[in-house]
Amino acid sequence: MKDKYKTLVAGGDMRQVYCALRLSEEYDTSIIGFDDEFIDDDISIRSAVLSEGESFDCIVLPVIPIGEDGMLNSPCSAVSIDPLSISRTLRPGGVIFAGKVDERLRKIFPGYEICDYLVREELSLKNAIPTAEGAVQLALEELPVTLNGLSVLIVGMGRIGTALAEILKGFGADVTAAVRNESGAAKARIHGIKSVYTAKAGSDYGLVFNTVPSLVFDREKLSAFGAKTLFIDLASKPGGIDFDAARELGIKAIWALGLPGKTAPVTSGEIIAESILEVLGERSGGDA
């Protein structure tokens, strides 16, 4: 089993360290893109040295694998890593795993299978919990009041929205879901919270979580809230809040991207690893 897929985990934040640690239980796994200060003494993972001519069957890249500068996204490394140097280590027939795959990555690995682990349903479902927990943790840090009794609006009742609803109920918050249709309203009822159609949502909330990746709160809607409300946007780009307008209106709005990697790197890394193991098992006919 250990020799079946020689694996390289390259770049990313701390969740990739724990992804590598989980993968190392099954395969010969190495890591690159992390300075020593980020690897605790009790974490035993071999560091790869690309100049030694190693090759790999599987390369695991981070969520957003390539930065704006064209280099590997490696915030835990003081040295920039050219993704082309990573691509040269992939054996014929190898596979690349990454989150938010784009055309730049496909051009670097032409002809290879690329799997975007973020589109896997099991990962999305599991990842909703650390995202929601991280969002609530952020709210607790930023709010001057308790969540208990606070009026909270959740925009969107997808995986993250429903996870948020359950956590916030436990805090005793007064939770309402802003939904687009009756399906969303039904989900809100199932989770024991109120609902309102997004277009008719009022402004009497102390905390608003947005999970919808399209503009929901423009300048006009934001101006109805005022500075009393904290906005936390959990949606991927382009997000759902006009942040320039919020700043000009004196409203605190936080775009909380990548929360799982910041607040729960161990769990998040293991979730990524489990998804990768599932894909490799599927490629091997169930015998990974």
Side-chain angles (χ1 to χ4, degrees):
M1 178 74 79
K2 282 273 188 179
D3 297 330
K4 189 155 191 179
Y5 287 102
K6 190 174 180 182
T7 301
L8 175 67
V9 177
D13 54 31
M14 287 303 296
R15 72 187 118 172
Q16 297 301 96
V17 172
Y18 295 101
C19 172
L21 192 61
R22 173 66 184 93
L23 291 174
S24 70
E25 297 175 11
E26 309 292 335
Y27 306 127
D28 179 1
T29 303
S30 303
I31 194 167
I32 191 170
F34 291 85
D35 295 340
D36 291 343
E37 64 191 89
F38 293 99
I39 308 296
D40 292 338
D41 292 338
D42 60 346
I43 295 177
S44 179
I45 307 175
R46 188 169 66 88
S47 294
V49 181
L50 300 185
S51 60
E52 293 183 353
E54 283 193 283
S55 61
F56 301 92
D57 305 291
C58 175
I59 293 177
V60 179
L61 301 177
V63 178
I64 309 180
I66 310 300
E68 293 182 359
D69 60 357
M71 294 290 104
L72 180 72
N73 180 15
S74 50
C76 297
S77 173
V79 178
S80 296
I81 300 173
D82 188 339
L84 285 173
S85 66
I86 301 291
S87 70
R88 297 187 188 106
T89 69
L90 191 60
R91 294 171 179 169
V95 58
I96 303 97
F97 291 90
K100 298 188 178 178
V101 173
D102 61 15
E103 285 306 310
R104 293 183 303 165
L105 189 66
R106 298 188 190 282
K107 289 179 180 178
I108 293 169
F109 292 91
Y112 284 100
E113 178 184 355
I114 300 178
C115 177
D116 190 333
Y117 47 73
L118 286 187
V119 304
R120 299 278 298 185
E121 180 67 12
E122 76 275 7
L123 185 145
S124 296
L125 289 169
K126 293 175 183 177
N127 217 36
I129 297 298
T131 300
E133 288 185 357
V136 172
Q137 177 181 327
L138 180 58
L140 289 168
E141 293 170 353
E142 295 289 341
L143 285 168
V145 297
T146 64
L147 288 175
N148 186 272
L150 185 68
S151 293
V152 181
L153 182 69
I154 301 172
V155 182
M157 283 299 285
R159 304 177 191 93
I160 296 173
T162 53
L164 273 171
E166 291 300 321
I167 295 170
L168 291 166
K169 280 164 50 184
F171 277 90
D174 181 11
V175 186
T176 301
V179 300
R180 293 182 300 173
N181 49 43
E182 184 54 34
S183 175
K187 285 184 180 181
R189 286 195 298 272
I190 290 170
H191 287 272
I193 63 173
K194 299 173 289 186
S195 67
V196 62
Y197 283 103
T198 303
K200 297 181 179 180
S203 58
D204 191 21
Y205 299 97
L207 174 62
V208 176
F209 291 103
N210 176 65
T211 69
V212 177
S214 60
L215 186 61
V216 177
F217 295 99
D218 56 15
R219 179 181 295 273
E220 181 180 356
K221 287 193 175 181
L222 286 169
S223 63
F225 286 85
K228 62 180 175 58
T229 305
L230 170 66
F231 285 81
I232 298 178
D233 197 344
L234 302 172
S236 56
K237 294 182 179 180
I241 298 171
D242 184 335
F243 287 94
D244 290 336
R247 184 171 56 254
E248 292 168 6
L249 292 167
I251 295 172
K252 187 156 193 177
I254 301 170
W255 201 354
L257 296 174
L259 272 181
K262 298 171 184 175
T263 61
V266 176
T267 300
S268 300
E270 291 175 348
I271 288 172
I272 292 172
E274 292 295 337
S275 184
I276 290 168
L277 291 171
E278 182 71 21
V279 173
L280 293 177
E282 292 169 0
R283 293 176 91 242
S284 304
D287 180 22

